[in-house]
Amino acid sequence: MAMHYIPIFLLFLTSFCKSDDQLTDAKPLTHGDKLISKGGDFALGFFSPASSNTSMYLGIWYHSIPGPRTVVWVANRENPITVLSSPMLAITNSSDLVLSDSQGRTPWVVKNTITGAGVTAVLLGEGNLVLRSLNGTITWQSFDHPTDTVLPNMRFLVSYKAKVGMRLVAWKGPDDPSSGDFSCSADPSSPDLQFITWNKTEPYCRLTVWSGKPVSGGSYLTNTSSVLTQTAVNSGDEFYFTYTVSNNSTLMRMRLDYTGKLKYLSWNSHTSSWEIFGEHPSSSAPCELYASCGPFSYCDFTQITPACQCLDGFEPVDSINFSKGCQRKQALKCSKKSQFVPLYEMKVPDKFLHIRNRSLDECAAECNHNCSCTAYAYTDLRSAGAMEDPSRCLVWSGELIDAGKSTSGANMYLRLADSSVNKKSSSVQIVLPIIAFLLLLTCIAVVGMYRYRGKWRKKENKTKLMLGYFSASKELEGENTEFPSVSLEDILSATNHFADSNLVGRGGFGKVYKVI
Ligand SMILES: *[C@@H]1O[C@H](CO)[C@@H](O)[C@H](O)[C@H]1NC(C)=O
Ligand SMILES: *[C@@H]1O[C@H](CO)[C@@H](O)[C@H](O)[C@H]1NC(C)=O
Ligand SMILES: *[C@@H]1O[C@H](CO)[C@@H](O)[C@H](O)[C@H]1NC(C)=O
Ligand SMILES: *[C@@H]1O[C@H](CO)[C@@H](O)[C@H](O)[C@H]1NC(C)=O
Ligand SMILES: *[C@@H]1O[C@H](CO)[C@@H](O)[C@H](O)[C@H]1NC(C)=O
Ligand SMILES: *[C@@H]1O[C@H](CO)[C@@H](O)[C@H](O)[C@H]1NC(C)=O
Ligand SMILES: *[C@@H]1O[C@H](CO)[C@@H](O)[C@H](O)[C@H]1NC(C)=O
Ligand SMILES: *[C@@H]1O[C@H](CO)[C@@H](O)[C@H](O)[C@H]1NC(C)=O
Ligand SMILES: *[C@@H]1O[C@H](CO)[C@@H](O)[C@H](O)[C@H]1NC(C)=O
Ligand SMILES: *[C@@H]1O[C@H](CO)[C@@H](O)[C@H](O)[C@H]1NC(C)=O
C-alpha cells in the first residue's frame, strides 16, 4: 500500500514546483513548465502560435483568463526555437538568464551585471519578469524591454536625455510574434514632445503633442467600477508614461496590434472577451490617419463623426477631395501687414520648430518677425515639474499638416493676411476678453464639478474616458470627453503629498497613489 503514496507525493511535489513564480539555478524551465505569478494573473512559459507547429517562443501571457492565449511579452521574437529541440530557460553559473536548446543554440540571453549565488528570475504579479539578486536588487526586468504591450504600472520611457526611449513593435501578423512594420516611439526630431505610430519609417498616426499636463484624468471602465489613470511625466531628462487601474482584478492592456492600431483593451468576464475602449487611429475617425486631411486642414475630433475642416481663413482646394487640403482665401504678402488669429484646443500640426527658452511674447515676436512663419503655439510647462527650460515655443513655416481639434488640445496662433481678418477685427477685440473670461469661469466650474461627478459617474456605470497623453481624439461613440486634466498641485493635494497612507501599489520603478 505504502508504495502507492510515493508516486502521488512526488507528483504533487513536481506540480507544486511547476506552478511556482520563481526560477532558480537549480530549477530550470523546460517545455511544458510554467512560472505562475503570485495572484495567478500571468504565466511565463514556452508557446507555439496557433498557426505554427514548428516555432516556439518564450513568452508571458494571461493565466487567469479562458480562451486563446493572450501573449503580452515575447523574449525571442526573432529567433524562434523549433519544437523538437527541447528549449530550456536557466540561470547559468555566471548568473545570466539564458534560453537554450538541445543543439546548443542560445536564441535569447540576459547578461547579468551582478554575479554570485542566489540570483533568481521571478514573474511578478503585474506580469513583469525580473532578475533578482539575493538582497532583492533587480538587475533586469521585462518591463524595460516591452514587445508590443504596455501593462498597468509599467513605466514606458518615451525619451531619455533627448533621445528616443522605448519602442513598441507590433507583431508581423495575428499569429506571428516576429517584428512587423508598425512601431510606436517618440518622434526622433522632438523626442520629448511627441509620440508617433510608424509604418516602417513613415508616420502612420501622430498622437497628441505633450502639453505639460502630468496626469490626464480617469476613465471608468465598462462593467467594473475601475478607474484608469494615466500619467505622463517629463522631468527634462526623462519623459515617461504610465497608467494604473484602481482595481487590480480588472485586467487591462495597451497594445500596438499588427494592423498598426494602438488599442486599449479591458477584459470583460461576462463575455469572456477583450473589449476595446480606445484606439488610435480610431475606426470612427478616418481623418486621424497621419496628414490625411491635407495641408492647412484639420481633423475635427469634436464632431460626432470626425471629419476634415479647413483652418480659419482657408478654403478647400478641391471641395470633393480633402486630401488636397486647403488654400488661403487671401494671399499673404510679406510686405503687407499680417495678423495672428487664435485657434483653440488644437492638436497642433507636425513639423514644428521648437525654440528654447522663450516667453509667450518672445515666441509671438519670433513668428511675427519672420515672413516664412505661418503659425506659433506656446505652452508653459512649469506645472509639469522641474525643468531647466519650462517654455515650449513651437513655430511653423510653410504648410501646416496633420492638425486636429480636440477637447484636450492647446491654443495656437495662425498667420493670416490682415485683410482677411479686418472685417471681424472690431468684434474680435471685444469678444476675446469675454470669451477668455467665460473660459475661465467654465474651467473653474468643471474643476469644481470633477470630484463630485467622479462618484456620480461611477454609479452610472458608463464607460467614460480621457486618454490624455496618448489620446489625440474623441474616444467613444457620441460621448465628448470632458475630463479636465489635473495639475501636479492637484495631485499633490489629492494624494496628500504622496503620503504613505495613500500608497496603493509599488512597483520596481515607482509608487502608485490613491487620489481622494
Ligand atoms: C499542426 O498540426 C496539426 C496536427 O498535428 C495539423 O492538423 C495542423 O494542420 C498543423 N498546422 C500547421 C499550421 O501546420
Ligand atoms: C558551473 O558550476 C559547476 C559547479 O560549481 C561546474 O561543475 C560547472 O562546470 C559550471 N558550468 C559552467 C558552464 O561553467
Ligand atoms: C546587492 O548586492 C549586489 C551584489 O550582489 C550589490 O552590487 C548591491 O549594491 C547590493 N544592493 C543592496 C541594496 O545592498
Ligand atoms: C504601410 O506602408 C506601405 C508602404 O510602405 C503601404 O503599402 C501600406 O499600405 C501601409 N499600411 C497601411 C495600413 O497604411
Ligand atoms: C455588463 O454586465 C451585464 C451583467 O451584469 C451583462 O449582461 C452585460 O452584457 C455587460 N455589458 C457589457 C457591455 O459587456
Ligand atoms: C474589483 O473588481 C471585482 C470584479 O471586477 C469586483 O468584484 C470587486 O468588488 C472590485 N473591488 C473594488 C474594491 O472595487
Ligand atoms: C485625392 O487627392 C489625392 C492627392 O492629390 C490623390 O492621391 C487621390 O487619388 C485623390 N482621391 C480622389 C478620390 O480623388
Ligand atoms: C534664457 O534666456 C535668458 C534671457 O532671456 C537667459 O538669461 C538665460 O540664461 C536663458 N536660459 C537658458 C537655459 O538658456
Ligand atoms: C525664418 O524662418 C525660417 C524657417 O523657420 C528660418 O530658416 C529662417 O532662418 C528664419 N529667418 C529669420 C530671419 O529668423
Ligand atoms: C494592487 O496589487 C498590489 C500588489 O500587486 C497591491 O499592493 C495593491 O494594494 C493592490 N491595489 C488595489 C487597489 O487593490
Side-chain angles (χ1 to χ4, degrees):
M1 285 295 271
M3 290 282 281
H4 287 279
Y5 288 97
I6 296 161
I8 292 168
F9 173 70
L10 280 180
L11 197 71
F12 170 73
L13 195 74
T14 0
S15 65
F16 172 77
C17 288
K18 283 180 181 168
S19 63
D20 203 350
D21 68 345
Q22 297 195 17
L23 181 80
T24 62
D25 50 359
K27 187 165 63 75
L29 193 78
T30 55
H31 185 202
D33 293 347
K34 271 186 274 191
L35 297 185
I36 312 286
S37 67
K38 281 216 171 68
D41 280 343
F42 293 96
L44 171 108
F46 296 99
F47 71 95
S48 290
S51 64
S52 164
N53 286 349
T54 52
S55 298
M56 187 165 275
Y57 299 87
L58 174 70
I60 298 174
W61 59 87
Y62 287 94
H63 179 64
S64 54
I65 62 173
R69 196 186 287 109
T70 303
V71 176
V72 295
W73 182 78
V74 183
N76 56 320
R77 67 191 301 185
E78 309 301 350
N79 297 302
I81 294 179
T82 55
V83 169
L84 297 173
S85 66
S86 344
M88 184 171 83
L89 180 69
I91 290 174
T92 63
N93 280 5
S94 47
S95 300
D96 298 336
L97 183 61
V98 175
L99 174 63
S100 60
D101 67 11
S102 58
Q103 284 142 37
R105 292 193 331 132
T106 54
W108 185 74
V109 175
V110 174
K111 278 270 171 210
N112 201 340
T113 48
I114 291 178
T115 55
V119 170
T120 52
V122 187
L123 181 61
L124 299 181
E126 297 154 323
N128 189 10
L129 177 69
V130 304
L131 205 51
R132 196 163 70 183
S133 58
L134 209 53
N135 63 10
T137 307
I138 288 172
T139 51
W140 179 91
Q141 56 180 347
S142 62
F143 270 19
D144 285 342
H145 304 272
T147 48
D148 65 343
T149 303
V150 181
L151 289 173
N153 304 320
M154 180 176 153
R155 210 179 75 157
F156 189 90
L157 190 67
V158 177
S159 67
Y160 183 70
K161 288 193 188 289
K163 294 244 163 58
V164 173
M166 294 178 183
R167 192 181 290 274
L168 295 180
V169 180
W171 285 26
K172 195 167 216 139
D175 246 338
D176 182 353
S178 62
S179 296
D181 288 342
F182 291 100
S183 65
C184 273
S185 72
D187 179 5
S189 58
S190 51
D192 52 350
L193 290 180
Q194 62 182 4
F195 194 74
I196 291 177
T197 299
W198 309 90
N199 175 1
K200 296 197 186 107
T201 53
E202 294 300 311
Y204 180 61
C205 181
R206 189 177 60 106
L207 299 145
T208 307
V209 176
W210 188 57
S211 62
K213 291 160 186 164
V215 168
S216 58
S219 55
Y220 299 101
L221 307 175
T222 321
N223 262 352
T224 73
S225 56
S226 297
V227 183
L228 179 117
T229 306
Q230 300 197 85
T231 312
V233 176
N234 191 339
S235 67
D237 265 2
E238 201 182 52
F239 180 15
Y240 68 85
F241 155 81
T242 185
Y243 69 94
T244 58
V245 181
S246 63
N247 185 341
N248 287 345
S249 42
T250 305
L251 301 180
M252 270 286 317
R253 64 193 167 108
M254 183 182 121
R255 182 192 195 205
L256 177 67
D257 85 0
Y258 75 98
T259 64
K261 278 190 194 292
L262 190 61
K263 289 179 176 167
Y264 289 79
L265 301 132
S266 76
W267 178 253
N268 184 329
S269 48
H270 296 289
T271 58
S272 277
S273 62
W274 288 100
E275 235 164 52
I276 301 169
F277 67 93
E279 58 178 1
H280 296 289
S282 162
S283 311
S284 61
C287 63
E288 192 180 352
L289 284 178
Y290 185 82
S292 59
C293 286
F296 298 112
S297 174
Y298 65 93
C299 179
D300 189 352
F301 297 109
T302 63
Q303 303 293 310
I304 288 167
T305 310
C308 298
Q309 304 281 343
C310 286
L311 292 170
D312 286 5
F314 286 77
E315 61 194 6
V317 171
D318 176 341
S319 55
I320 303 154
N321 187 350
F322 244 103
S323 64
K324 288 182 179 151
C326 303
Q327 62 197 2
R328 288 182 189 279
K329 291 178 186 163
Q330 300 272 331
L332 271 184
K333 290 205 186 68
C334 198
S335 55
K336 294 250 176 72
K337 235 185 122 206
S338 57
Q339 202 166 323
F340 287 87
V341 294
L343 305 174
Y344 301 108
E345 300 193 310
M346 297 299 287
K347 168 192 175 185
V348 299
D350 195 14
K351 312 280 184 205
F352 46 76
L353 187 66
H354 182 190
I355 301 179
R356 311 270 163 186
N357 198 18
R358 290 286 190 282
S359 68
L360 171 59
D361 289 346
E362 288 166 343
C363 186
E366 195 75 43
C367 192
N368 205 4
H369 293 160
N370 190 334
C371 270
S372 63
C373 180
T374 43
Y376 70 92
Y378 183 82
T379 314
D380 188 332
L381 304 177
R382 226 166 314 172
S383 68
M387 266 181 286
E388 219 173 285
D389 173 18
S391 72
R392 195 199 66 187
C393 171
L394 306 179
V395 299
W396 287 264
S397 61
E399 288 183 343
L400 300 175
I401 55 157
D402 196 46
K405 187 173 177 60
S406 81
T407 50
S408 59
N411 297 347
M412 65 179 284
Y413 303 87
L414 177 67
R415 179 182 228 128
L416 293 180
D418 205 16
S419 49
S420 53
V421 260
N422 246 354
K423 278 158 272 155
K424 286 193 230 151
S425 70
S426 61
S427 64
V428 165
Q429 275 160 18
I430 305 159
V431 167
L432 268 185
I434 296 175
I435 289 177
F437 179 64
L438 287 179
L439 271 176
L440 183 69
L441 280 186
T442 314
C443 282
I444 293 167
V446 167
V447 169
M449 279 162 70
Y450 173 61
R451 291 192 184 132
Y452 299 100
R453 284 173 75 187
K455 291 202 179 92
W456 174 73
R457 280 185 188 164
K458 251 192 235 184
K459 283 204 196 96
E460 217 181 17
N461 209 11
K462 264 188 183 173
T463 314
K464 189 78 182 169
L465 71 157
M466 156 76 204
L467 296 174
Y469 174 62
F470 278 94
S471 143
S473 64
K474 172 184 105 63
E475 281 300 331
L476 286 164
E477 314 73 47
E479 285 216 69
N480 269 340
T481 55
E482 283 185 288
F483 264 95
S485 289
V486 186
S487 72
L488 186 60
E489 287 93 314
D490 284 5
I491 296 184
L492 284 176
S493 73
T495 59
N496 203 3
H497 285 78
F498 300 111
D500 272 355
S501 58
N502 286 7
L503 192 64
V504 292
R506 197 191 290 265
F509 32 72
K511 300 168 184 176
V512 180
Y513 293 84
K514 135 180 111 196
V515 177
I516 322 163

